[in-house]
Amino acid sequence: MFAPSPDRRAPPPSFARGLLAALAIVLLACALTVRGDTIPARSAELHEEDGEVLLSAEFDFTLNSTLEEALSKGIALYIDLEFRLTRPRWYWVDEKVVDSVTTYRLSYAPLTRQYRVGSGLMSQSFATLGEVERYIGRVTSRPVARASQLSKGTRYDAALRLNLDVNQLPKPLQVSALGSHEWQVASDWLRWSFTP
């Protein structure tokens, strides 16, 4: 009886796994070092009105040519507005009071030549991309918390960011977006203090 001899040319399975792990680490490092377009933030503030804490902010949000082209070809873009409100504690980790994400779904309908921005159950149509950019870049008196959730006279730390969510793109685009700075569009975290 003859046992088949092992093929000396094929790498052992552990070598192949190690090679895949090294490749994954290199791709992750590339994705983390790719710095894309930064969305400048003009202003952000919190104020109380009628028992609610309201957020107002303004960003200089514009789409680059790659994103405009993707939009014109029927690819929907998802823009996240992330907001966090924490209460600092010296004896423990900061207390999370609010951690919310508002997602805007931006699409283009070539038949009507209109842009549509949807968020939750609401959607709105726009004739030009400039109108869309102004709409997404401007937050006006959006409720983020009840005033009763916050302690009077206590300092809270607020943080706000606007970014393109590449995880919601079609799968083939997600791979190319990881290594491309044109798809890495986000503002820096804008941080400030708020005392009710």
Side-chain angles (χ1 to χ4, degrees):
M1 230 196 243
F2 290 95
S5 64
D7 186 5
R8 301 270 181 222
R9 292 173 291 179
S14 61
F15 175 77
R17 271 188 250 123
L19 186 61
L20 283 174
L23 182 62
I25 290 171
V26 168
L27 285 174
L28 181 61
C30 288
L32 292 176
T33 57
V34 170
R35 180 87 171 139
D37 296 339
T38 301
I39 303 168
R42 285 189 188 176
S43 64
E45 67 172 5
L46 291 172
H47 61 278
E48 288 183 70
E49 190 176 304
D50 297 330
E52 291 191 300
V53 179
L54 306 174
L55 170 68
S56 294
E58 194 168 342
F59 294 92
D60 284 331
F61 175 67
T62 55
L63 295 177
N64 61 38
S65 58
T66 302
L67 299 181
E68 281 185 40
E69 183 182 348
L71 199 58
S72 69
K73 291 184 177 179
I75 297 168
L77 302 176
Y78 294 84
I79 314 295
D80 288 341
L81 179 71
E82 300 175 60
F83 175 74
R84 295 180 184 155
L85 188 66
T86 56
R87 184 173 64 90
R89 296 188 287 199
W90 63 270
Y91 59 90
W92 196 247
V93 294
D94 294 349
E95 176 191 2
K96 282 186 185 176
V97 179
V98 177
D99 193 357
S100 68
V101 178
T102 302
T103 301
Y104 299 101
R105 182 184 187 275
L106 172 56
S107 60
Y108 178 69
L111 214 55
T112 60
R113 294 183 183 172
Q114 287 194 326
Y115 296 91
R116 182 174 287 287
V117 178
S119 180
L121 299 174
M122 304 294 290
S123 68
Q124 194 168 344
S125 296
F126 298 91
T128 66
L129 191 56
E131 293 173 0
V132 170
E133 292 168 340
R134 280 189 297 278
Y135 176 77
I136 292 176
R138 188 172 293 133
V139 180
T140 307
S141 297
R142 173 172 294 154
V144 290
R146 302 282 310 153
S148 59
Q149 288 178 264
L150 308 181
S151 302
K152 296 282 183 200
T154 303
R155 182 178 69 90
Y156 291 87
D157 293 333
L160 182 68
R161 178 172 83 146
L162 190 68
N163 72 312
L164 173 69
D165 186 357
V166 294
N167 295 324
Q168 300 224 31
L169 293 171
K171 293 294 181 197
L173 271 179
Q174 286 183 22
V175 175
S176 64
L178 271 176
S180 171
H181 73 278
E182 294 163 337
W183 289 92
Q184 305 301 316
V185 178
S187 71
D188 292 326
W189 279 100
L190 186 60
R191 300 177 192 280
W192 72 100
S193 295
F194 170 68
T195 304

